[in-house]
Amino acid sequence: MERKDSEKEGNKEVKKSLMYFSGEDFYYFTYSIILLLDLLDCENGKFFKDYRKLPFLIDLVNDENLIYILESSLSETASNEPEGETASDAAVLRLPISRKLNKLDKEYMFRSYSTGIARRSEILKLLFTLEQKEFVVLQKGGSQSDIDVSLIKEKVPSEFFNKKLFAKEYKNIQKLRSLVKRISSLTLNTMLTKLYTNQGVKTWAL
């Protein structure tokens, strides 16, 4: 047990040492975003649509409990929707619930949602910092408030792609990708509906 605890603490310190930003949460945000963009293939000119989705996805990258709740609540039909630009948002939203979430699960999901709202400005500032360091490219999206993101993978230190160090995060992203098809190209509202509203979690228009 002591060996596992020390190894876990060591991994945490290694992750922290990768970062160059002030503020205790920025290393956590940064590796989450980089891993997401990498595993969703949003790199070298392929863009993740609308950065405003990222604050909500960060907790899902790092929290197995949130992934478990989604796995338990999303139906087989929804998780097997086809990928690709031709699939409509309406199709992605079809039949999302296979069981009703209990009160504790709803509260847990709501905390994730409200945390995502609270960290939006921090994530935007971080993305501008990552752009200055040439780790990402930002471009204006389809609407005035949209900013799309693409990873410049060759500029990012190789430690970020250590699958042993980030085994939990990689596993969570793979599961999320299978549960929510086309997550990189969905609109913000469609993604929030899929992740929260359809689970019975109260949301607001953003």
Side-chain angles (χ1 to χ4, degrees):
M1 179 67 76
E2 288 183 7
R3 182 179 177 182
K4 285 187 177 180
D5 288 344
S6 62
E7 183 177 341
K8 195 172 184 181
E9 191 63 31
N11 283 348
K12 182 178 178 183
E13 290 306 311
V14 172
K15 289 176 182 179
K16 216 168 190 176
S17 71
L18 293 173
M19 301 320 306
Y20 316 110
F21 309 103
S22 60
E24 61 182 16
D25 289 331
F26 278 89
Y27 81 94
Y28 169 81
F29 296 158
T30 301
Y31 75 70
S32 299
I33 290 170
I34 288 175
L35 294 179
L36 261 171
L37 295 176
D38 179 40
L39 265 182
L40 294 176
D41 300 319
C42 296
E43 58 188 49
N44 301 327
K46 182 178 178 183
F47 283 82
F48 178 93
K49 181 179 180 181
D50 197 345
Y51 85 94
R52 294 177 300 168
K53 295 185 295 185
L54 292 172
F56 301 96
L57 294 177
I58 286 171
D59 279 354
L60 289 162
V61 170
N62 292 277
D63 191 336
E64 302 100 321
N65 292 325
L66 289 171
I67 295 293
Y68 174 77
I69 292 171
L70 285 176
E71 283 184 308
S72 301
S73 64
L74 293 178
S75 72
E76 187 78 17
T77 302
S79 66
N80 286 328
E81 289 288 352
E83 294 192 60
E85 295 299 325
T86 58
S88 67
D89 282 359
V92 175
L93 294 173
R94 189 164 57 242
L95 299 175
I97 298 176
S98 60
R99 75 169 178 87
K100 186 176 180 180
L101 294 185
N102 61 47
K103 184 179 179 181
L104 288 177
D105 284 349
K106 282 187 180 180
E107 289 176 352
Y108 202 78
M109 292 295 292
F110 180 75
R111 283 198 297 273
S112 166
Y113 174 74
S114 57
T115 299
I117 292 176
R119 62 168 57 125
R120 285 180 299 175
S121 62
E122 290 180 281
I123 297 305
L124 183 58
K125 286 189 288 187
L126 175 58
L127 287 173
F128 285 136
T129 300
L130 293 176
E131 183 184 39
Q132 289 173 357
K133 293 182 176 292
E134 299 185 334
F135 287 178
V136 302
V137 174
L138 304 180
Q139 73 173 19
K140 187 172 174 54
S143 70
Q144 189 172 1
S145 58
D146 288 359
I147 296 176
D148 301 340
V149 191
S150 181
L151 183 69
I152 308 175
K153 191 169 181 177
E154 64 270 18
K155 297 282 189 176
V156 179
S158 60
E159 290 89 347
F160 278 102
F161 308 110
N162 184 328
K163 292 190 176 181
K164 182 178 179 181
L165 181 62
F166 294 105
K168 178 190 74 173
E169 292 84 355
Y170 272 108
K171 184 178 180 181
N172 288 342
I173 297 169
Q174 292 283 21
K175 287 184 177 181
L176 178 63
R177 188 176 184 178
S178 68
L179 287 168
V180 185
K181 301 297 185 183
R182 303 189 304 116
I183 197 165
S184 61
S185 59
L186 292 179
T187 64
L188 173 65
N189 287 336
T190 298
M191 188 196 76
L192 294 179
T193 298
K194 179 70 174 174
L195 293 177
Y196 299 107
T197 310
N198 284 344
Q199 320 312 321
V201 178
K202 184 177 180 181
T203 59
W204 299 276
L206 299 178

